Amino acid sequence: MAASRPGHFTLRVFRGYLPAMSLLSPRLLSALLMVSVAFAGANAFAEPANMENAPPNFPYRDGDAVFVDFERADYHLVYDFAAKTVTVESEITFNAPVGGYPIFDLVPDPRDVRLDDRAADVAQVADPDDASYLRIVGTKVAPGAHRLTMAHSLATNVEFRPNGVASAFWMTDLTDRHYLEQYLPSNLQFNQYPKTMRIEITGAQGMPHLVRANGTIRNPSENVFEVKFPAYYSNASVFFHLTTVDAIPTTKFNYPSVDGRALPVEVYVVGNATLMAQYVANTKAALADLEKDYGPFPHPKVIVYGNGPGGMEYAGATVSSPYALGHELFHSYNARGVMPADGNSGWMDEAMSSWHDRHYALRTTPGAPTKMAGHSAYFRITDGDAYGKGTDFLAWIANRMDAEGKDFKGFLREYYRANMYHTDTTETLRRAMEIYSGLDLAKDFEVYVYGTLAAETTPKNSKWARASLATCGSFSEVEKDERAMENPFHPRLTAESLRKLL
Ligand SMILES: [Zn+2]
């Protein structure tokens, strides 16, 4: 999504209401004030600058490698059934806030890269903290608008079968570079921008396919699909699953949302009718539970893919086991509705969803200290302490709020309303919690979240934290903390379990 530029405000309808304003960051509040002055009576505020949560630019060649603001990305995927190959052509328009060598990411090697219609080279480079890898275009750009095009071959989670193709963009937040950049050229998590995909399966006449995706889907002819994704999506939002039409049984229904919508729900399940019935019942129960506590489901539709262990969240979609559904669909509010801007912010949604799993139990003491939000600015995965110690921390804050007569679930409802469709950081949450509760949480965050201050005592973790296993994103658990570059051959079990989901 476009960043605000100097002297140029993009307006958007303010979805929250007055109390929700207290949950906004001081920066947003001042922006809101400025817009309110400029547009008296208008119920709108300045769109947050996507670039303010970008990691720092860093020296590269004779200048700087610079993070840029993607304006939009259009992808054309051709599945060649005879050749058993997938070729992707991509066009990205972006705005460079400052001059330098533009940064993006794509795990497969790009080819035919052109920047503003001139051939360009691309390097894969470790960031200055050696936390991850990035792609850097070897052509220096001036500040302003630019166009980047490239092609690449896609092979990850693609399977050519005798009767058609299966392909999906499975993601996990527990392994580095495992969001959209595994499959398509993308920006990092701080950036929101509209995306389209045109998908063609060639040479497969008479073998009709089906695309399930959390965007608007057109199917103009057999084996041709056009998907348009919302502008608020980041690189972690997209759900995409291509199969033959009848590969997996589906149940579709409309769920009566609390806001009056007939919310379209699609549940598709690998398993028998009993399992399907269980998924449908659990989906309805989870939606009722979440809408009661946190308001209308924040996405235009719901997709539940019932398969595999654990689960993973997408915007309005999930791959989930039956028992993880409540946890995963809660992520449509707290991870893929309000969206973490980077790896140091990823702990928040896992702590929130895991607190839901504990039936919102309160704690009189914090868990053990962590540095969940204390990693490098280039760190891109969720710290595994989020599930146990992070949840203990939130349950302790909730208990302190409770003592002041303030309800933490009520806080979360307002926080989601105020920040929905925007990225957030640990500081966004801390400030909002302080404003809501009146508590000074600076020191507690330093000890239990940032790991920058030693604890005076070390409280015990809860029994949940001691037994905690990641309930979602766990397909790739064995790969955790391993580096894709240093380990080009992923552990066999993990790759197999992902392919089994196709
Ligand atoms: Zn989760």
Side-chain angles (χ1 to χ4, degrees):
M1 192 176 296
S4 303
R5 295 181 194 84
H8 173 82
F9 280 116
T10 309
L11 295 180
R12 125 191 352 244
V13 175
F14 181 49
R15 294 183 53 84
Y17 57 91
L18 205 57
M21 285 172 62
S22 64
L23 306 180
L24 296 171
S25 70
R27 195 160 175 169
L28 266 182
L29 271 176
S30 63
L32 176 58
L33 194 63
M34 287 166 69
V35 174
S36 299
V37 169
F39 301 89
N43 190 19
F45 75 109
E47 196 168 89
N50 263 316
M51 298 306 297
E52 72 180 17
N53 292 323
N57 298 334
F58 54 89
Y60 183 70
R61 295 187 181 170
D62 59 342
D64 283 331
V66 296
F67 288 94
V68 299
D69 183 16
F70 279 25
E71 300 286 341
R72 61 176 299 109
D74 299 294
Y75 307 107
H76 186 189
L77 296 80
V78 177
Y79 292 76
D80 184 329
F81 188 67
K84 298 188 173 18
T85 58
V86 189
T87 303
V88 184
E89 292 184 342
S90 305
E91 176 175 352
I92 292 159
T93 52
F94 68 86
N95 183 62
V98 296
Y101 295 96
I103 298 171
F104 70 101
D105 201 15
L106 174 66
V107 174
D109 286 326
R111 59 177 183 266
D112 305 331
V113 180
R114 296 179 79 79
L115 182 70
D116 296 330
D117 296 321
R118 290 187 177 186
D121 64 280
V122 169
Q124 181 160 265
V125 175
D127 64 69
D129 294 341
D130 210 21
S132 184
Y133 288 92
L134 302 160
R135 296 279 185 181
I136 304 178
V137 184
T139 303
K140 217 192 271 186
V141 299
H146 298 279
R147 179 170 172 269
L148 179 65
T149 58
M150 70 191 77
H152 72 279
S153 297
L154 175 66
T156 303
N157 293 323
V158 175
E159 202 164 84
F160 286 92
R161 297 167 177 167
N163 66 337
V165 189
S167 172
F169 291 177
W170 306 139
M171 299 184 188
T172 174
D173 50 1
L174 297 174
T175 306
D176 192 34
R177 302 177 86 196
H178 266 55
Y179 293 127
L180 195 58
E181 61 273 5
Q182 284 184 94
Y183 309 100
L184 301 174
S186 306
N187 210 338
L188 270 58
Q189 222 173 342
F190 68 87
N191 201 213
Q192 300 166 268
Y193 50 96
K195 305 164 185 70
T196 65
M197 282 169 53
R198 180 179 170 86
I199 300 118
E200 295 176 43
I201 304 103
T202 61
Q205 291 82 357
M207 291 182 266
H209 286 71
L210 175 67
V211 164
R212 292 182 176 92
N214 54 355
T216 308
I217 304 171
R218 285 188 66 243
N219 182 197
S221 59
E222 184 183 86
N223 292 335
V224 176
F225 302 89
E226 293 165 358
V227 188
K228 192 177 172 187
F229 296 101
Y232 63 86
Y233 278 14
S234 73
N235 67 333
S237 310
V238 167
F239 180 86
F240 169 72
H241 191 185
L242 169 70
T243 62
T244 48
V245 161
D246 298 320
I248 305 170
T250 301
T251 301
K252 288 184 179 181
F253 59 93
N254 286 332
Y255 180 81
S257 170
V258 289
D259 66 4
R261 275 179 305 167
L263 180 65
V265 182
E266 178 169 5
V267 179
Y268 66 116
V269 175
V270 174
N272 59 23
T274 307
L275 191 61
M276 172 67 86
Q278 188 186 354
Y279 268 105
V280 169
N282 288 9
T283 300
K284 288 176 179 172
L287 289 172
D289 181 49
L290 292 168
E291 288 207 320
K292 171 174 65 68
D293 289 338
Y294 304 111
F297 191 77
H299 305 283
K301 63 179 174 182
V302 183
I303 302 172
V304 171
Y305 178 27
N307 197 358
M312 183 59 196
E313 69 273 15
Y314 304 83
T318 179
V319 182
S320 181
S321 60
Y323 71 85
L325 258 179
H327 176 109
E328 302 302 341
L329 287 175
F330 191 15
H331 278 318
S332 274
Y333 294 74
N334 67 26
R336 303 292 176 258
V338 181
M339 296 168 280
D342 53 30
N344 284 316
S345 313
W347 72 274
M348 300 187 287
D349 46 79
E350 291 308 345
M352 290 168 186
S353 268
S354 299
W355 190 50
H356 160 278
D357 300 345
R358 295 183 191 180
H359 308 291
Y360 304 116
L362 303 177
R363 277 178 58 82
T364 55
T365 58
T370 79
K371 58 164 196 171
M372 296 180 294
H375 299 281
S376 157
Y378 304 98
F379 188 72
R380 292 161 68 178
I381 62 177
T382 296
D383 188 314
D385 276 346
Y387 298 90
K389 295 168 189 170
T391 311
D392 281 358
F393 179 74
L394 286 192
W396 176 55
I397 302 289
N399 190 52
R400 289 162 65 189
M401 281 195 191
D402 188 62
E404 307 280 326
K406 304 258 172 66
D407 172 36
F408 195 70
K409 274 168 77 179
F411 161 75
L412 289 179
R413 184 185 177 105
E414 296 307 318
Y415 182 76
Y416 299 150
R417 198 193 305 249
N419 295 284
M420 190 55 70
Y421 312 121
H422 295 261
T423 54
D424 68 342
T425 65
T426 299
E427 282 300 284
T428 317
L429 180 70
R430 182 183 68 80
R431 283 192 297 259
M433 284 163 69
E434 288 187 332
I435 290 167
Y436 183 86
S437 66
L439 298 167
D440 178 357
L441 300 172
K443 195 177 159 193
D444 299 323
F445 269 72
E446 284 182 41
V447 174
Y448 298 104
V449 179
Y450 288 112
T452 48
L453 193 65
E456 288 165 10
T457 60
T458 304
K460 277 188 178 173
N461 298 317
S462 67
K463 65 177 190 289
W464 290 289
R466 286 194 295 277
S468 175
L469 286 173
T471 53
C472 69
S474 60
F475 301 127
S476 301
E477 181 71 1
V478 291
E479 290 178 310
K480 192 180 167 191
D481 292 336
E482 290 185 358
R483 302 283 293 272
M485 283 294 291
E486 292 161 359
N487 299 275
F489 300 103
H490 291 171
R492 197 172 166 77
L493 184 66
T494 297
E496 277 185 8
S497 66
L498 287 167
R499 290 178 82 86
K500 273 183 193 165
L501 293 174
L502 293 175

